[in-house]
Amino acid sequence: MKLGMIGLGRMGGNMARRLMAGGHEIVAYDRDQAAVDKLVADGATGASSLDDMRSRLGEQAIWWVMLPAGEITEQTVQAIADGGRAGDVVIDGGNSFYKDDIRRAKALREKDIDYVDVGTSGGVWGRERGYCMMIGGREEVLTRLDPIFETLAPGRGDIPRTPYDRPEADDWRAEKGFIHAGPAGSGHFVKMVHNGIEYGLMQAYAEGFDILKSKSSEHLPEDERFDLNLTDIAEVWRRGSVISSWLLDLTAIALAKDGMLEQFTGNVADSGEGQWTIDAAMEEKVPANVLTASLFARYRSRIEHTFGDKVLSAMRFGFGGHTEIPQ
């Protein structure tokens, strides 16, 4: 299939390359011409503007917007819609707020343009491993787009099937690494909660490693101090432990490179989804003690830093290439 990819950063560029490797045709645009040139060298067709992209995509164009959430995505979606044609599809694969998706979908339907929100997880490893996707939009539109999503998704791979008979109502896509979550907005809502959970998981690892490191503290009685090898602990926990995970794998990699994580300050950023998740919990009157505490811990890290905060920064860099907030 042919589609336009707008935004060729860490995620967009690699997604485009995975799609091309799967036989799809990419028309690429980014404000950074160097990013376009690199993708053209890999087999894409370059576009110099959204209007140029429109001419290259033709009727019933598929536009994939892979830009930071906020004003730049809003402006881009609006610009596409202003010049769009009936039957076009606009996909937002970033981390937009789900209520913005609901509003945009209604506005675009008035122009007979479909809007699909794709919560995308996989980070900088996605080109190789595939991307887990949570998708909101009309079922008939997703059916048209399934070949694109199947190429991006990791597929069944070597993950054992869940040992029960899945009800027929369950989405066949789930075992391949993507789902139709529901109507417009639901994809980004599910991804938002995913990221809120991610905050909690990361905070648990960070606090645990902070406790391990601090066991050598001079504030403890001498015979109760342990000089523990955190690199070895992370490595052994990866093998048969009930807390093994990809986040732990990334922690082990970071500690193996630098046991004290000296390259990180522990000034941990948040990208918004954690706060949105807590906002949703408050709207729904659902307690979210762990997720709330993990978000507040990130706020606190910008005032004072712990070793655990460095572990958080190392994990964020490991899965997404995220850098810390400058001091």
Side-chain angles (χ1 to χ4, degrees):
M1 299 182 72
K2 178 189 284 189
L3 68 152
M5 182 67 74
I6 304 165
L8 308 176
R10 289 191 302 264
M11 291 285 283
N14 281 339
M15 293 173 79
R17 290 179 176 91
R18 185 174 174 91
L19 286 167
M20 289 190 294
H24 299 279
E25 184 178 350
I26 296 295
V27 180
Y29 172 65
D30 193 287
R31 290 180 176 179
D32 180 2
Q33 185 60 43
V36 177
D37 293 341
K38 287 179 182 178
L39 205 64
V40 168
D42 289 338
T45 299
S48 59
S49 65
L50 293 181
D51 286 339
D52 184 28
M53 178 174 278
R54 183 175 290 110
S55 69
R56 296 174 186 276
L57 291 175
E59 300 293 328
Q60 295 191 322
I62 302 170
W63 308 75
W64 191 304
V65 181
M66 205 66 195
L67 297 169
E71 191 62 29
I72 183 63
T73 292
E74 188 74 32
Q75 292 173 353
T76 302
V77 170
Q78 187 59 55
I80 294 170
D82 287 345
R85 307 181 181 97
D88 283 3
V89 178
V90 178
I91 304 169
D92 179 4
N95 281 325
S96 288
F97 185 43
Y98 75 98
K99 293 184 181 181
D100 291 335
D101 295 317
I102 295 170
R103 171 179 51 79
R104 291 173 191 155
K106 290 178 180 177
L108 267 62
R109 281 303 296 161
E110 293 178 0
K111 299 174 179 283
D112 201 21
I113 298 172
D114 272 288
Y115 181 91
V116 174
D117 54 289
V118 181
T120 309
S121 183
V124 295
W125 298 71
R127 180 181 176 184
E128 175 185 347
R129 292 163 52 107
Y131 300 88
C132 171
M133 291 168 289
M134 300 132 270
I135 307 165
R138 296 196 301 144
E139 173 64 32
E140 53 266 43
V141 179
L142 264 68
T143 299
R144 173 188 167 194
L145 301 175
D146 272 339
I148 294 172
F149 298 135
E150 280 204 73
T151 300
L152 287 171
R156 287 195 176 95
D158 58 0
I159 298 174
R161 299 193 73 180
T162 303
Y164 69 94
D165 293 328
R166 293 174 58 82
E168 291 185 5
D170 285 359
D171 194 340
W172 63 268
R173 303 172 176 97
E175 288 190 332
K176 294 195 172 186
F178 65 109
I179 59 167
H180 180 201
S186 63
H188 277 150
F189 182 81
V190 175
K191 176 56 162 50
M192 177 190 80
V193 176
H194 163 284
N195 282 23
I197 293 170
E198 179 185 288
Y199 279 38
L201 292 171
M202 293 171 69
Q203 186 63 28
Y205 283 123
E207 291 177 9
F209 278 98
D210 211 357
I211 294 168
L212 292 169
K213 179 179 180 296
S214 298
K215 190 57 177 169
S216 62
S217 171
E218 62 182 15
H219 300 297
L220 296 172
E222 188 172 354
D223 61 353
E224 294 182 13
R225 299 176 196 168
F226 303 147
D227 186 13
L228 300 169
N229 188 313
L230 304 186
T231 304
D232 287 347
I233 292 170
E235 186 63 29
V236 75
W237 281 353
R238 295 180 60 220
R239 304 176 184 281
S241 163
V242 297
I243 63 167
S244 59
S245 71
W246 186 37
L247 288 172
L248 182 59
D249 293 345
L250 295 173
T251 303
I253 291 170
L255 288 169
K257 290 179 178 177
D258 173 12
M260 291 294 102
L261 304 179
E262 295 291 347
Q263 75 178 91
F264 300 103
T265 65
N267 195 353
V268 188
D270 71 284
S271 52
E273 294 90 347
Q275 180 178 332
W276 296 343
T277 302
I278 305 312
D279 290 343
M282 294 178 68
E283 289 177 2
E284 299 164 13
K285 296 181 172 57
V286 173
N289 301 348
V290 171
L291 307 191
T292 303
S294 66
L295 175 64
F296 288 170
R298 295 196 179 196
Y299 295 162
R300 188 266 311 139
S301 78
R302 298 163 203 175
I303 302 170
E304 58 180 4
H305 316 310
T306 67
F307 182 76
D309 297 329
K310 292 186 176 185
V311 175
L312 282 178
S313 287
M315 281 187 277
R316 294 185 79 249
F317 183 78
F319 67 72
H322 303 297
T323 56
E324 296 177 311
I325 298 176
Q327 294 275 40

